[in-house]
Amino acid sequence: MDKIKKGDIVGRLSYGKDILFKVDKVIKKSNGEKLVILKGLTIRIVADAPLDDLVVIEKQRIMNNMRSIETKLENRIKKCSKDMIECTGLFTRKYLGRGKVQEVTGKILHLDGDKKYSSKSMKHYNKLGLTAIVKNVPESKQPYVVVDLLNRYSPDILVITRS
């Protein structure tokens, strides 16, 4: 089991390998046991586990899991896009004349403490055709920058997510 190292993709045996994690740190406790700090691969979660509860996940399962998650997200985005067109709360219709209509969305300011999820969020905002400004700001600094960013961007919606 000691072959598990930072960066490995693992599952917890005690939970039936239900969530795939990336090993963030391996910590040696005072009693000599090793504790592993884990970050969810596709789900925003941080957990810890004893080293002997972990197993390295084979590459094919990782690829299948990633493909499955991406397909689910794409389906949600398609459904959400269709639903938003019918929802007047998220879009404003701007009449340009001569029968032309432009859909205008509210502006979103999204502060996120995790760089990986910041870029994922921006990708999905773009797919949905939403106007969004996504800033990767560590949790500890968010309270100090939020007022300035609100004044600078004047968003209609503020989203704050933590790592």
Side-chain angles (χ1 to χ4, degrees):
M1 292 290 172
D2 281 353
K3 64 183 177 200
I4 292 176
K5 62 192 176 310
K6 183 176 179 168
D8 285 345
I9 307 301
V10 299
R12 298 176 295 180
L13 294 169
S14 61
Y15 287 86
K17 302 182 272 184
D18 60 342
I19 299 174
L20 301 185
F21 291 94
K22 188 172 191 174
V23 173
D24 189 49
K25 294 179 194 169
V26 179
I27 301 168
K28 192 170 186 176
K29 294 170 35 176
S30 59
N31 64 1
E33 291 180 29
K34 290 187 179 177
L35 183 70
V36 183
I37 307 300
L38 307 165
K39 283 191 171 185
L41 186 62
T42 57
I43 298 170
R44 189 185 295 251
I45 184 174
V46 176
D48 61 37
L51 186 62
D52 61 0
D53 187 35
L54 302 176
V55 62
V56 174
I57 302 297
E58 59 280 355
K59 287 184 183 186
Q60 189 59 48
R61 177 159 179 213
I62 296 167
M63 296 300 288
N64 290 344
N65 182 273
M66 299 294 280
R67 215 171 300 129
S68 172
I69 296 289
E70 194 61 34
T71 299
K72 285 178 187 175
L73 280 172
E74 290 297 324
N75 289 337
R76 282 185 190 168
I77 287 170
K78 285 177 189 171
K79 182 183 181 329
C80 190
S81 294
K82 181 182 172 189
D83 291 346
M84 281 195 310
I85 289 169
E86 298 164 6
C87 174
T88 58
L90 290 176
F91 285 99
T92 302
R93 286 195 165 92
K94 183 177 179 183
Y95 295 96
L96 304 174
R98 296 191 175 162
K100 292 184 179 181
V101 177
Q102 177 184 16
E103 301 286 346
V104 181
T105 67
K107 189 188 316 177
I108 300 165
L109 173 60
H110 184 156
L111 305 182
D112 199 312
D114 187 303
K115 190 170 186 154
K116 175 179 145 187
Y117 285 101
S118 295
S119 74
K120 261 186 171 181
S121 296
M122 192 65 214
K123 175 180 138 188
H124 294 300
Y125 286 136
N126 286 336
K127 282 184 180 182
L128 287 165
L130 297 173
T131 304
I133 297 137
V134 179
K135 296 288 185 181
N136 179 240
V137 180
E139 275 181 56
S140 61
K141 294 185 179 168
Q142 288 176 357
Y144 305 106
V145 301
V146 70
V147 172
D148 183 49
L149 292 171
L150 287 169
N151 289 330
R152 184 182 315 164
Y153 295 110
S154 300
D156 300 297
I157 300 167
L158 173 64
V159 176
I160 299 177
T161 50
R162 302 167 16 171
S163 54

